[in-house]
Amino acid sequence: MSNLEVHNLSKHFGRVRAVEAINLDIKDGEFMVLLGPTAAGKTTTLRCVAGVEKPDQGIIKMDGVDITQLSPAERDIAFVFQTYALYPRKSAYENMAFPLEARDLSKQAIDTRIREIADLLQITELLDRRPAAMSGGQQQRVALGRAMVRQPRMFLMDEPLTNLDFKLRVEMRAELKRLQRELDTTFFYVTNDQIEAMSMADRIAVLNEGVLQQIDTPEHIYNHPANLFVAQFVGNPRINTIPCNYENGTLHSVDGSLTVPLQAWQRDAMKGKTQNLILGIRSEDIALYASEQPHTMMASVYILEPLGDRTYVDVQIGKYTLKVRADADYHADSDDTVHIAFDIDRLHVFDADTGITVF
């Protein structure tokens, strides 16, 4: 195992800023996920850590040793690619043997290591097959096996599940998490899929346009986003947002259709902010009632989205449409009148000008 420190890492391609002043500290044996949208700079960061790209500035350390100028081979890091990058004319066994053959190991030692890893990955029956005769999930396991036989100090993974179908992606998420625990090895994993990040990571680093937005546990990032971008990017469905102003302890939507009284600690957090605010509330933090209840607001049903284990109800209040999570058997017709109530403890408020979280 190894820990990784990234200090003030920046990389530009001409006038394009790929990564800007990134700082990361990945602990020994940690599963760290770098999460962000397309073109956020995730792969560039990973390639700099691997030594494939040279940063314009910054220092990369592994176990306290500066590796910034070392070649990829000298870093002893395994890189698992999105496209698997298996040799098409080699069998699974030969693909897995390839990184060991340059180490002057005996054939017996190579064979023992390959079969140990194949057993761990449950791909022993695939060892004689070439990639063309394997499914996407099987190819991914072989690619993992090729990386694992080396016993590297760290695994770098660049969106390795992207090319799999939904069922396989779900299975492989669990497998990767299990493998990381069994190997007790550091994983640095890149994805634009927030479900992958939430389900696998010990910690998540959220990246946007080359700038780190927040680093924390999945639970804390979901419940306490550092800014509006993180709140909107992490969570499915997307957080409901409403432009608001603040007056006399109450948030008022800009169109006047919605008012939300705040608690004492929330009022203290406002610190004189009155204009250009955004109220955020997640779908599961809105209660839905058929009739008026204390502290509810009237809304109308726009559409229902049944998903089997739950139903999402899009409701309209004023000019805003909010997505509300309801029970699987919930039923209503479009334009039905309903009443909603926000869980005040679960509100988020952001500064609309800076995007920074107020509370």
Side-chain angles (χ1 to χ4, degrees):
M1 293 193 298
S2 293
N3 71 290
L4 181 74
E5 301 168 64
V6 177
H7 300 286
N8 203 36
L9 179 71
S10 294
K11 179 67 179 179
H12 296 74
F13 297 97
R15 296 183 179 181
V16 177
R17 177 187 71 179
V19 176
E20 189 68 41
I22 282 183
N23 290 284
L24 283 170
D25 185 1
I26 303 176
K27 300 178 178 66
D28 211 8
E30 184 174 32
F31 200 129
M32 171 68 83
V33 173
L34 187 59
L35 173 68
T38 300
K42 306 182 300 297
T43 296
T44 299
T45 302
L46 210 64
R47 288 170 65 86
C48 286
V49 171
V52 179
E53 295 284 355
K54 293 297 182 184
D56 295 327
Q57 68 178 44
I59 296 173
I60 302 168
K61 292 184 177 181
M62 186 176 291
D63 295 332
V65 177
D66 188 344
I67 63 169
T68 313
Q69 301 304 320
L70 296 184
S71 69
E74 293 172 309
R75 299 183 188 209
D76 193 19
I77 294 174
F79 203 136
V80 180
F81 297 91
Q82 176 181 335
T83 55
Y84 317 141
L86 297 175
Y87 296 104
R89 297 182 182 278
K90 294 180 181 290
S91 66
Y93 185 100
E94 291 168 333
N95 268 280
M96 292 172 66
F98 186 78
L100 298 177
E101 289 170 348
R103 294 192 173 188
D104 199 28
L105 298 175
S106 68
K107 288 186 177 181
Q108 181 60 46
I110 291 174
D111 184 73
T112 299
R113 183 62 183 159
I114 288 173
R115 295 190 183 280
E116 284 176 355
I117 297 301
D119 184 60
L120 182 64
L121 291 170
Q122 301 175 12
I123 56 171
T124 302
E125 72 281 2
L126 303 177
L127 291 178
D128 293 329
R129 295 190 198 175
R130 290 185 178 182
M134 303 179 205
S135 68
Q138 290 170 336
Q139 289 184 54
Q140 184 58 274
R141 288 171 188 260
V142 173
L144 281 169
R146 184 178 57 187
M148 290 167 60
V149 293
R150 291 176 43 206
Q151 297 178 303
R153 299 165 69 186
M154 179 178 297
F155 286 89
L156 307 182
M157 299 190 174
D158 187 11
E159 302 192 41
L161 307 185
T162 298
N163 296 323
L164 304 182
D165 62 39
F166 178 76
K167 180 175 180 291
L168 274 175
R169 289 183 76 157
V170 173
E171 291 175 357
M172 286 302 296
R173 287 202 303 261
E175 281 297 302
L176 283 174
K177 187 69 174 178
R178 177 185 67 82
L179 285 169
Q180 192 263 342
R181 289 289 180 257
E182 288 190 11
L183 295 170
D184 197 22
T185 302
T186 308
F187 274 34
F188 188 16
Y189 186 103
V190 159
T191 184
N192 60 13
D193 186 328
Q194 53 101 14
I195 295 177
E196 282 185 17
M198 294 291 289
S199 63
M200 293 194 296
D202 295 320
R203 286 191 301 153
I204 297 172
V206 183
L207 190 67
N208 185 41
E209 296 182 346
V211 178
L212 272 178
Q213 306 294 308
Q214 186 173 1
I215 306 173
D216 217 316
T217 63
E219 296 79 11
H220 202 272
I221 281 180
Y222 185 81
N223 293 315
H224 304 283
N227 55 46
L228 181 60
F229 172 81
V230 175
Q232 291 180 320
F233 192 74
V234 177
N236 186 28
R238 186 178 171 119
I239 191 171
N240 298 296
T241 54
I242 305 164
C244 285
N245 297 315
Y246 176 70
E247 185 179 8
N248 297 327
T250 303
L251 288 169
H252 304 267
S253 64
V254 170
D255 73 345
S257 64
L258 178 148
T259 59
V260 182
L262 301 183
Q263 300 182 64
W265 69 270
Q266 294 167 325
R267 296 196 296 269
D268 291 342
M270 296 303 292
K271 298 177 182 176
K273 296 182 183 295
T274 59
Q275 304 291 317
N276 296 326
L277 300 168
I278 294 177
L279 167 65
I281 183 78
R282 296 198 184 275
S283 61
E284 66 269 25
D285 298 324
I286 304 176
L288 193 61
Y289 301 97
S291 59
E292 185 176 5
Q293 305 290 325
H295 311 299
T296 59
M297 297 171 283
M298 188 166 64
S300 63
V301 174
Y302 179 66
I303 196 169
L304 269 62
E305 302 174 54
L307 295 179
D309 63 333
R310 61 196 180 278
T311 295
Y312 286 110
V313 185
D314 288 10
V315 302
Q316 290 184 305
I317 182 166
K319 67 177 184 179
Y320 306 110
T321 300
L322 308 180
K323 196 173 291 290
V324 182
R325 177 169 176 157
D327 293 336
D329 58 357
Y330 182 86
H331 180 74
D333 294 320
S334 294
D335 297 325
D336 279 358
T337 297
V338 293
H339 298 264
I340 62 173
F342 293 171
D343 184 340
I344 303 301
D345 288 326
R346 303 280 294 172
L347 295 180
H348 303 273
V349 173
F350 308 93
D351 185 314
D353 295 323
T354 65
I356 295 173
T357 298
V358 177
F359 67 79

